Amino acid sequence: MEFLVYIELEAPPDMAPALLDELRAREAVHARMLTARGDLVRLWRVPGRWANWGYWHASSADALHEILRGLPLYPLMKTTVHPLDPHPNDPGPARRQPAG
């Protein structure tokens, strides 16, 4: 299954900066592993916010939930998950034309 996931992070004001730095470093390593495994397909940041949109693959919504719960920054995350289903008029990646 495919999912579009919005993640916004909010660290408590009293969180030690060193702990936050450690979690961010662990998150980067974990994201590379998820990408190599095929779970995390694409990731876009939201300028001006500590937030992102991600395109994820998982066998089910429950499986995606377990993947997200495994993220080191998960305790600081607010997530919104949008399951995706192919649209009959989707041109697909092979039919997209480059801009210009």
Side-chain angles (χ1 to χ4, degrees):
M1 294 181 69
E2 298 172 306
F3 300 89
L4 187 62
V5 180
Y6 179 75
I7 297 174
E8 187 148 9
L9 297 162
E10 186 174 319
D14 61 344
M15 179 174 255
L19 175 57
L20 187 55
D21 289 345
E22 176 191 337
L23 288 172
R24 291 175 80 178
R26 288 178 43 216
E27 185 83 8
V29 170
H30 198 76
R32 285 191 295 274
M33 182 273 298
L34 292 173
T35 300
R37 203 168 74 179
D39 299 325
L40 177 57
V41 180
R42 295 290 308 271
L43 194 61
W44 297 268
R45 69 181 193 90
V46 179
R49 303 187 70 102
W50 196 12
N52 65 70
W53 283 95
Y55 174 50
W56 296 78
H57 282 187
S59 60
S60 67
D62 289 339
L64 176 68
H65 181 71
E66 287 305 309
I67 292 166
L68 296 175
R69 284 177 38 104
L71 294 169
L73 286 169
Y74 182 79
L76 308 179
M77 292 179 177
K78 293 179 184 177
T79 62
T80 305
V81 175
H82 303 272
L84 301 174
D85 200 26
H87 191 284
N89 297 328
D90 178 14
R95 295 184 57 200
R96 291 190 185 123
Q97 298 296 320

